[in-house]
Amino acid sequence: WQVDRTEVIRTCINPIFSKLFTVDFYFEEVQRLRFEVHDISSNHNGLKEADFLGGMECTLGQIVSQRKLSKSLLKHGNTAGKSSITVIAEELSGNDDYVELSFSARKLDDKDFFSKSDPFLEIFRMNDDATQQLVHRTEVVMNNLNPAWKTFKVSVNSLCSGDQDRRLKCIVWDWDSNGKHDFIGEFSSTFKEMRGAMEGRQVQWECINPKYKAKKKNYKNSGIVILNQCKIHKMHSFLDYIMGGCQIQFTVAIDFTASNGDPRNSCSLHYIHPYQPNEYLKALVAVGEICQDYDSDKMFPAFGFGARIPPEYKVSHDFAINFNEDNPECAGIQGVVEAYQSCLPKLQLYGPTNIAPIIQKVAKSASEETNTKEASQYFILLILTDGVITDMADTREAIVHASHLPMSVIIVGVGNADFSDMQMLDGDDGILRSPKGEPVLRDIVQFVPFRNFKHASPAALAKSVLAEVPNQVVDYYNGKGIKPKCVSEYESSRTLAP
């Protein structure tokens, strides 16, 4: 279906269209897009009589990960002419920035009989429907006409709904123990004005009591309120990191334990059916198809565990399925599928089901990445397993360690085993701890039993498996105070352009 169309640009062979298309972005889905360019005859704007100049198909993930995507326009019959189309992406929403504000006042009116006023300040945001919403109330400073209130933090969204020119109403009260606080005065401002208190400058307002102003001839004000500092803390979004050049490094680990059944037997979970992929392949392709758009070299390390491998037939829990330990990478998801199919006849399925070694292997790469101190690679480990984990204590230890690194672990349970242990690793039901009691720093494990998706589309499985990844990426980098690698031009203009 057609999302939208641009304006018509007359008599021009290198048009730049001003129309913006707004599309919702979902990392966990493959969002296919088609762009078509038509030449419209001079007296008509209808597409029926227009000449088709060419079309281009891609995924939204490709545009986002490259930020600027240029491709040839293909005519009917997929022939490429000389024309090309360039699509540029920028993120519109997602302003989670927050502000730190530090207010004080001087010479406030004294409202108390036996002592000085006990002032506090309230800030309200004026909404479009003329209602007002309390954004922040400071603490009360007792017995002081020159109070300095504590610094406080508030998100840009709640302060002004992301609109710097929205009116903010500020009221100073004298606190009373009976709850009937006395009005000292008020003033109005905007976030734009408050931003004047950056880099060591101050902004001041006269605090006005309208009643006194109307009555008293030489009334000046009821005190001065001062904003001593305004600091803006940028919260970067998943797209900021991806568009800044962060690559998703995708690694696959496949369970080759004997409980899967003999691959030559059609009941085996590893049975290679001539026309239908088994559950291992279905899960691998569903998740891999999405991750590959965010990985520029499209090379995926693929490992196996729980089998005896040639030539000595020793049990291994982290062998390369292409049997090349120096380079376990396969070209594209298709390369992983082929390596999987060709290694199966050479293995002896064995056991036990130990997954800590493979988590540690990817964690080693992720910890080397932390030395760069920049957001360039985030690791996703997809573990496909049919059974109960045998090295639970080591696995918990490995996950707690990995939670400090730029990585996430996705476990897809294949077959009909009892997966209750897996639910424990997925910290949704409570905090996962190592055997020594150390808690995970962040929840990095997502467990999904494939049987829940047997009759659903691959997209539904991918959605369930990958939905938490963007937040895990953001939590890691924001938590470490790591900014996106190259802050794009659009991002600096996106939220708080002066």
Side-chain angles (χ1 to χ4, degrees), residues 30-60:
V30 176
Q31 294 172 273
R32 300 193 191 285
L33 301 176
R34 178 171 172 80
F35 297 86
E36 290 188 356
V37 183
H38 297 264
D39 177 21
I40 283 191
S41 57
S42 54
N43 53 358
H44 241 271
N45 273 353
L47 276 190
K48 281 198 180 66
E49 297 178 21
D51 290 331
F52 174 65
L53 297 177
M56 181 272 274
E57 290 186 8
C58 63
T59 67
L60 186 54

Side-chain angles (χ1 to χ4, degrees), residues 448-456:
V448 176
F450 188 84
R451 56 177 171 247
N452 298 1
F453 295 91
K454 247 195 170 117
H455 306 296

